[in-house]
Amino acid sequence: MLEKKAVNHFLLAKGHLLPATRLDSAGAILRDLIVLDANSLDDAYFSLYLRVRRFDVAAFEKGLYKGRSMARVRGLKNYMQLVPREYLPAVYSASKAGRETAVRSLLGTWGVTDDEYRDISKKILESLEGKEKTLVQLKRGLSAVSRDIVRRRKEKAANVSIVAQAMHDRWMLLRGGVGRHPGENPGRFSIFKNRFSVELEMDRGEALLLLARRYVKSYGPACAEDLAWWLGITLNEARHALDKMENIEAVEIDGVEGQFFIDKKDVLRIKEIEDVPIIFLPKDDPYIKAYYNHARLVSGEHRVMTKFGESASAVLIDGTVWGSWNMKKERLSNICTVTLYKGCPEVREESMEAAAQEVGRFYTGGSVEVKITQ
């Protein structure tokens, strides 16, 4: 029987959230996380900042948008995700059916026929060959096509943006680019295969098993429901993948219902750690978002997930969620409001203030006013 606190401390360390376990390379962190949800790039960057010793947003964006080691794509559960190159085929194949359903719905909603899609997508690829272009530039270059096709619609060239979005979701196009300032996303389109000469198609079953193995290695102890949630598959599919795995062990966690699976080599490494710092997690951080079962993470009836399936920003005390935080601008100052749950363990106010200021420096570039409520 494993203790909850020891499990949380182990996962903080394995997830590189403790100062001693941070790495120098953001790419290495991303490979350990497998994928990182990035609907919000600011939040994704803060997740990396917490795990990398000296995280440089500008350098990371250069690698993300100009290099060939990672990509930002529509991935598992139809989320925008940062995916290392080595996992691109598995993520593509595991998510393909869900993405295609969404693309078909998008095209149908806007009345884009298969013939129209083929015609416009061909011209978009021709226009982007060897170049990056914004949506405005694409529309301008394809205006002759779009005027002919959308005469029945009020919005000129609306179908160009819809087709470009569909191509992006099908991994034909990438979107992003290095802006004038770190964190600024100009939204330029480019051709996926021009950057990644990789065979994306693989057997879906093999893709699921590969990702499931990596998930247990990175996030175990985890239950079948956790794996199904993270991959966006059925519970039966998750159980089938776990049944196929070797070198994993089923364990129980004190006070948490269910059976959890972990790499056999990791079982003896689970132990409590002294001096675990207060950590402010951004929305959709994998320490929370990678799990369906949050019984070991949060006390009482507090919720760490929104109704939209996103994990909320969280204040971790000793590895457990004991509050939330948000950043907002009011006239001349930026304010970080920290809301602690009832029954929160006593901590030094200076430590809470320091953690909030760290968040403020990352998101605003300067100091912030901190308000702590309970």
Side-chain angles (χ1 to χ4, degrees):
M1 182 75 71
L2 303 176
E3 295 293 330
K4 282 194 293 186
K5 180 185 286 191
V7 171
N8 289 345
H9 288 182
F10 168 74
L11 290 172
L12 284 174
K14 188 160 66 166
H16 305 291
L17 282 168
L18 300 179
T21 62
R22 292 179 177 179
L23 300 180
D24 292 324
S25 166
I29 293 292
L30 192 57
R31 287 191 293 275
D32 279 354
L33 297 178
I34 314 171
V35 298
L36 179 61
D37 285 359
N39 279 356
S40 164
L41 279 172
D42 285 345
D43 291 337
Y45 290 166
F46 190 56
S47 286
L48 291 171
Y49 166 84
L50 291 171
R51 294 167 166 87
V52 179
R53 289 195 180 97
R54 289 171 292 277
F55 181 62
D56 185 326
V57 172
F60 181 79
E61 286 191 325
K62 185 176 180 180
L64 176 61
Y65 295 122
K66 297 295 184 181
R68 291 176 169 81
S69 63
M70 69 189 88
R72 183 174 182 242
V73 291
R74 184 80 60 188
L76 303 175
K77 298 196 297 186
N78 222 29
Y79 271 88
M80 291 301 300
Q81 295 180 319
L82 304 181
V83 183
R85 179 190 178 96
E86 65 195 83
Y87 297 128
L88 285 173
V91 172
Y92 173 89
S93 301
S95 64
K96 183 178 179 180
R99 289 184 290 103
E100 188 59 26
T101 297
V103 165
R104 284 292 177 184
S105 176
L106 174 71
L107 296 175
T109 298
W110 285 87
V112 179
T113 67
D114 290 345
D115 287 343
E116 291 171 342
Y117 175 83
R118 280 193 293 270
D119 188 14
I120 297 173
S121 62
K122 179 181 177 182
K123 292 184 180 296
I124 286 176
L125 291 175
E126 291 173 352
S127 177
L128 288 174
E129 189 58 50
K131 302 176 183 177
E132 292 183 346
K133 291 186 178 181
T134 65
L135 183 58
V136 171
Q137 291 171 325
L138 279 177
K139 286 182 177 181
R140 189 182 301 127
L142 300 177
S143 58
V145 176
S146 59
R147 275 198 299 268
D148 179 59
I149 293 176
V150 302
R151 278 177 290 179
R152 63 185 181 279
R153 303 195 186 105
K154 292 181 180 180
E155 266 192 71
K156 174 185 174 182
N159 60 321
V160 174
S161 63
I162 298 304
V163 171
Q165 181 62 54
M167 295 173 71
H168 173 265
D169 293 350
R170 284 172 164 165
W171 292 32
M172 298 171 68
L173 301 181
L174 294 165
R175 191 175 192 184
V178 177
R180 290 171 294 180
H181 309 288
E184 179 187 7
N185 184 355
R188 291 190 292 267
F189 286 98
S190 59
I191 298 175
F192 182 93
K193 68 178 183 180
N194 284 356
R195 270 187 59 200
F196 296 99
S197 55
V198 57
E199 176 56 52
L200 291 174
E201 294 281 358
M202 63 182 293
D203 177 77
R204 181 175 179 273
E206 292 179 6
L208 293 180
L209 185 57
L210 184 154
L211 292 171
R213 285 189 174 121
R214 285 297 295 117
Y215 174 82
V216 172
K217 181 63 179 174
S218 291
Y219 296 103
C223 61
E225 289 83 358
D226 293 328
L227 177 59
W229 158 258
W230 183 78
L231 272 172
I233 59 178
T234 68
L235 185 55
N236 282 339
E237 286 178 311
R239 287 171 175 160
H240 181 67
L242 289 167
D243 287 341
K244 283 192 168 186
M245 291 187 207
E246 300 176 353
N247 300 317
I248 64 171
E249 185 170 327
V251 297
E252 294 182 347
I253 301 175
D254 185 38
V256 183
E257 293 183 3
Q259 191 177 50
F260 298 82
F261 299 89
I262 185 171
D263 189 296
K264 287 182 178 180
K265 296 179 181 178
D266 286 338
V267 176
L268 297 179
R269 298 173 182 169
I270 296 180
K271 59 183 179 180
E272 292 187 21
I273 299 172
E274 294 183 359
D275 300 324
V276 172
I278 295 171
I279 303 172
F280 281 39
L281 293 180
K283 295 176 182 177
D284 285 346
D285 189 273
Y287 181 76
I288 296 173
K289 181 72 176 289
Y291 302 93
Y292 178 82
N293 187 334
H294 299 113
R296 65 172 173 77
L297 281 171
V298 63
S299 61
E301 297 180 357
H302 297 290
R303 295 179 61 87
V304 291
M305 301 296 291
T306 71
K307 63 181 180 180
F308 303 108
E310 301 165 328
S311 66
S313 59
V315 177
L316 296 184
I317 299 176
D318 212 18
T320 300
V321 179
W322 280 105
S324 62
W325 62 271
N326 71 78
M327 190 78 60
K328 63 180 179 179
K329 186 175 182 62
E330 288 189 3
R331 294 188 177 181
L332 301 178
S333 64
N334 293 296
I335 300 175
C336 181
T337 302
V338 182
T339 304
L340 300 176
Y341 299 155
K342 186 177 180 179
C344 174
E346 288 190 14
V347 295
R348 294 174 59 244
E349 188 172 337
E350 295 86 352
S351 299
M352 188 68 70
E353 173 92 19
Q357 287 292 351
E358 184 178 27
V359 171
R361 285 191 296 273
F362 182 85
Y363 281 92
T364 71
S367 63
V368 297
E369 179 183 350
V370 178
K371 293 183 178 180
I372 302 174
T373 63
Q374 189 166 355

